[in-house]
Structures are given as structure tokens and as C-alpha cells.
Amino acid sequence: MPPSERRLIDDCFLHDKDRLRHADALAILKARVAPVVGTETVPLARAAGRRIAQTVTAPRAVPAADNAAVDGYAFAHADHAETGGFFPLSQRIAAGHPSDTALPPGTAARIFTGALMPQGADTVAMQEDCETHVQDGLDFVIVPQGLKPGANRRRAGEDLAAGAGLVTPGQRLRPQDLAAIASTGTGEVAVYAPVRVALVSTGDELRRPGAPLPEGGVYDSNHFLLRALLEEAGAAITDLGILADDSSLVHDTLREASATHDMILTTGGASRGEEDHLVTALDALGTRHMWQLAIKPGRPMNFGQIGDCVTLGLPGNPVAAMVCFLLYVRPVLAVLGGGPFPEPRRFQVPAAFSVPKKKPDRREFYRGTLDTDGKGRTVVRKFNRDGSGLITGLREADGLIEIPEEATQVRDGDLVDFLPFSELGLTAG
Ligand code: AMP
Ligand code: MG
């Protein structure tokens, strides 16, 4: 093989300048991936976390009519001056039991939270602020001065006007979205089917927890990392287990899985070592769209397709596997599943660490933990050990610190980009 060609495929000899930059990798993913899943209708009780596949509009106003925001006494504000706040009680109105008569002028109604305001009343005094009084066997209430007209009254439509749109197709339904849909009376919704993902670990050294570990063995922690990340992203997972470092086994497994899945997610065997068979199998079976990124960690990350099935190959090192999942796999899952390409927000936070010498031409992601300095300012600390095998650093982190290609150092106090895990779809523990 001539040296020029060799340079293109051998990651050890490839300079970061010749590797694909992070932004270009995202652009390739954006350009190549399209929604693939169908839709199904589910009751609201099973819709949490699903991607909605329709618009939902409010068929009627919410609340449907003016009602009391507190337990107390409803009256016409204009009557207060005339009565001096001394109102005979003319009716009692509980939630779910609207009054069929208007409020007689100069009187007040005993009312409870959520009960419809009687016609003629516009203001509610809280029961804690009122005094009741019995005179000649009749009930009165003394309402203090100073309430504004309309106080403690909820207006019809103040939450949702009739016809208001509630959700955007593709968005994942959060608890508060389900509450809004339910409040309009809609009981079932069309959602996108989960993305079907085949999950594969590769490596002769790997064993599943629970099995004895031979000399030189390593437990397959990535399977559990990735399975949980996929579950958080709403995917339907097929566990294809651990593949030995055997080219025909890797080839046959990828070919079979591609026929019945929307995505194959592999971990390990992604470099060009003699025992790394993934890229060779991908090249033989389909098309590779990217490999060799100018990032750290995660350089050998790859992306391609076998027929209509997307393949994403993560490095075997746990830190690289998690970082690459969050940066590249998560957006692909979102788009395949009918959602928008996620654009996580970055926050500029002062660094409570320094990196005297950073290699230019590559983007680096450190595990970052938020902290408070002596002056009460939020700062970010960097996990103090390198090594992409250290799961400990992932556990301590609140997110990723992102250092751009052109940076050659980070000084204590410099503002750095911080990507909280919450922006990357992970819920706090
Ligand atoms: P590889 O990408 O196959 O060259 O693996 C890189 C490193 O990650 C090696 O130290 C592997 O033992 C380790 N590794 C690979 N796959 C896994 C896995 N599923 N769980 C934990 N460690 C792994
Ligand atoms: Mg390996």
C-alpha cells in the first residue's frame, strides 16, 4: 500500500489536521439521517417520554369558565363600598356544583377552590382574611378592604385559549406536557414508534457480570452504560451480547441485525488494530460515512449504514463510549425517532483548573464538576486524572467541558464551555 493511502486509514499515522472535526461530524450526521419509525396511538397513561407524532390543540378554553382560586367568599367588587364589606351570605358553591342562580346584589357566596364564580361576582376574599358573623339567625361575612377587583379569580382560558397549540410534533412528552394534554380532554395521542437498536459489545476479553472472570478478562460495563443511555433516549433494545474478535462473526452479526433494526450500536473494535473488525465489516456490507474524528476522547468513532440501518461504532473505552454516545448517538436516535436534531445549550463557566499544554487541531471534552469558589461564584473543576477507562470520572461529573480545536491551553479562571448532562438528555440522580 503506498504511504499516502496508508495515512488515510491508519489512525496512528493520521494527524489531527486530517481528521474530521466535531462540527463537520455533526453536519454529516444531520445531512445523512432522516426519520424512519412509524407511528402508533397510545393512551395518555402510556405516553410519558414518547415522541408525539401529531399536533394537539385545545378544543376548548382551559379553564372552561371563571372560577375561584381559593376557599373564601365571592362578591361583586363594586358592592364593597356600599356594604362596608358586610355581606349577607346568599349561596354556597363547591367545586363541581355550579350555582344556577346569579349572585343577588349586595350579597356574597361561600365558595371553594375550583368552584365556578356565580354570575355577578368578580372577586374572592380568602377565608383566612374574613370573619363570619351570625345575626338574627342569618349568616354574614365581613370582607376586609383593599382587595383588587378580580382578586383570587381564575379567568376562563387563562391557561389555554380555545385552539391554542400545546406540543410540537417530534417533541418528547414531559410530565407537564401530559398534564396540559389531559387538561384539554384528549385521552390518547399518536406517538412515534421507538427506534429499534441492536446493541453489540466486541472483545475477546469481555464477560458479562455474574460470570467468572478469567485472567485478562474485563467485565462488559459498556453494555450497561449504553443500555441505560438508550433506555433514557426511548429506544427499543435488542441485546446481541458480546462478539468475539472474529471477523466473520462480526460480519455475519452486523448483516443479520441490519435487516431488522433501525440502528446497530457497537462498542469496541473500532480502531484499525488487527483485532478490530468493525470498520472492515461495515465497509464490506455497507457504506462508511465517517471515521477518525479530531476529538478526544473518541477518536475512532464511526458512522455508516448497511442498507437502511444506521451503524454507529463507539470506542471500547468507557469514557469515550459515553462521551461519543452523548455527542453523536443521541442526536441520531432523536432524528431517526421523529424528533429534531438536538442543540444542547453550552454555558460559559470559569475554569477551576488549568491545562498548560493542549494539542491544537482537536476538540477535547473533559469530565467537569460544578463547584463554588471562595466568592460564591460557580466554577467548573476538571476530573483530575486522565485515562479514558476511568468510570469514576463519569460518575463525579455534572457534564462535559468542551475545549475548541484552536485552544492550546486553559488557564485557571478562563471561561470555558460547559455542557451539563441535563442538556444531553440525562436526568439527575
Ligand atoms: P477496543 O476499542 O476494543 O480497542 O477497546 C479499548 C479498551 O476498552 C480496552 O481496554 C477494552 O478492554 C475496553 N473495552 C472494550 N469494550 C468494553 C466494554 N464493553 N466494557 C468495558 N470495557 C471495554
Ligand atoms: Mg477490543
Side-chain angles (χ1 to χ4, degrees), residues 294-310:
I295 60 163
K296 186 191 176 190
R299 196 170 72 179
M301 163 84 203
N302 63 71
F303 158 61
Q305 69 187 95
I306 302 172
D308 286 334
C309 177
V310 167

Side-chain angles (χ1 to χ4, degrees), residues 201-202 205-206 218-223 267-271 276 314-318:
S201 301
T202 73
E205 75 280 26
L206 300 179
V218 172
Y219 281 120
D220 181 7
S221 51
N222 285 358
H223 173 75
T267 170
S271 303
D276 297 327
L314 299 174
N317 280 313

Side-chain angles (χ1 to χ4, degrees), residues 193-204:
V195 178
R196 298 164 306 166
V197 180
L199 182 56
V200 184
S201 301
T202 73
D204 285 350

Side-chain angles (χ1 to χ4, degrees), residues 10 27 87 102 138 163 166 192 231-232 239 241 250 257 316 323 338 390 397-398:
D10 194 322
F87 290 102
L138 295 173
L166 269 64
Y192 286 107
E231 276 168 2
E232 288 225 37
D239 176 10
V250 171
V323 169
L390 302 176
D398 296 312

Side-chain angles (χ1 to χ4, degrees), residues 5-367:
E5 267 178 51
R6 185 190 154 91
R7 256 171 64 87
L8 290 176
I9 54 168
D10 194 322
D11 47 338
C12 296
F13 288 91
L14 201 60
H15 190 272
D16 281 324
K17 271 202 187 107
D18 303 321
R19 293 199 173 93
L20 192 67
R21 287 193 164 206
H22 175 65
D24 298 327
L26 289 179
I28 290 176
L29 295 177
K30 236 182 210 174
R32 291 276 177 191
V33 181
V36 293
V37 297
T39 63
E40 56 181 327
T41 298
V42 296
L44 272 191
R46 291 207 295 112
R50 302 293 300 270
R51 278 191 200 283
I52 186 121
Q54 61 170 98
T55 52
V56 179
T57 50
R60 63 181 70 81
V62 180
D66 290 4
N67 65 91
V70 296
D71 290 337
Y73 299 89
F75 62 100
H77 193 270
D79 288 351
H80 196 278
E82 256 166 67
T83 58
F86 194 73
F87 290 102
L89 282 180
S90 56
Q91 47 186 315
R92 183 182 186 279
I93 311 167
H97 302 278
S99 165
D100 46 20
T101 51
L103 187 73
T107 74
R110 177 74 171 122
I111 199 162
F112 299 92
T113 307
L116 293 199
M117 295 288 283
Q119 223 179 38
D122 57 11
T123 304
V124 181
M126 276 172 80
Q127 62 186 21
E128 292 83 346
D129 298 335
C130 298
E131 260 178 60
T132 53
H133 187 76
V134 183
Q135 190 175 305
D136 302 333
L138 295 173
D139 290 321
F140 290 82
V141 62
I142 302 165
V143 173
Q145 272 195 329
L147 277 176
K148 291 203 177 97
N152 301 315
R153 171 189 55 172
R154 301 173 181 149
R155 298 310 304 257
E158 71 174 18
D159 194 9
L160 294 170
L166 269 64
V167 287
T168 315
Q171 120 182 35
R172 288 189 82 187
L173 293 172
R174 303 165 301 168
Q176 57 270 45
D177 299 318
L178 295 170
I181 295 170
S183 78
T184 68
T186 299
E188 53 178 35
V189 284
V191 293
Y192 286 107
V195 178
R196 298 164 306 166
V197 180
L199 182 56
V200 184
S201 301
T202 73
D204 285 350
E205 75 280 26
L206 300 179
R207 294 290 183 280
R208 283 286 162 88
L213 198 64
E215 196 187 340
V218 172
Y219 281 120
D220 181 7
S221 51
N222 285 358
H223 173 75
F224 298 89
L225 171 78
L226 297 171
R227 168 186 279 273
L229 287 166
L230 286 167
E231 276 168 2
E232 288 225 37
I237 303 156
T238 309
D239 176 10
L240 294 185
I242 298 167
L243 299 187
D245 291 316
D246 173 300
S247 65
S248 62
L249 179 63
V250 171
H251 183 280
D252 293 350
T253 306
L254 292 195
R255 184 170 46 76
E256 272 170 42
S258 67
T260 47
H261 292 88
D262 306 312
M263 176 194 287
I264 301 173
L265 182 61
T266 64
T267 170
S271 303
R272 192 59 112 167
E274 273 165 40
E275 299 291 346
D276 297 327
H277 304 293
L278 263 150
V279 171
T280 320
L282 172 59
D283 286 351
L285 289 163
T287 315
R288 169 159 43 93
H289 300 309
M290 70 189 213
W291 186 42
Q292 294 301 333
L293 306 190
I295 60 163
K296 186 191 176 190
R299 196 170 72 179
M301 163 84 203
N302 63 71
F303 158 61
Q305 69 187 95
I306 302 172
D308 286 334
C309 177
V310 167
T311 63
L312 283 153
L314 299 174
N317 280 313
V319 176
M322 180 159 175
V323 169
C324 289
F325 183 97
L326 296 175
L327 296 178
Y328 307 115
V329 181
R330 179 174 172 265
V332 172
L333 280 170
V335 173
L336 291 175
F341 196 93
E343 307 284 356
R345 286 171 300 176
R346 287 149 173 80
F347 300 91
Q348 295 220 305
V349 183
F353 63 91
S354 63
V355 178
K357 240 182 147 176
K358 174 196 162 282
K359 276 196 185 170
D361 300 320
R362 74 180 183 198
R363 188 164 287 238
E364 299 197 349
F365 296 90
Y366 311 136
R367 286 136 281 168

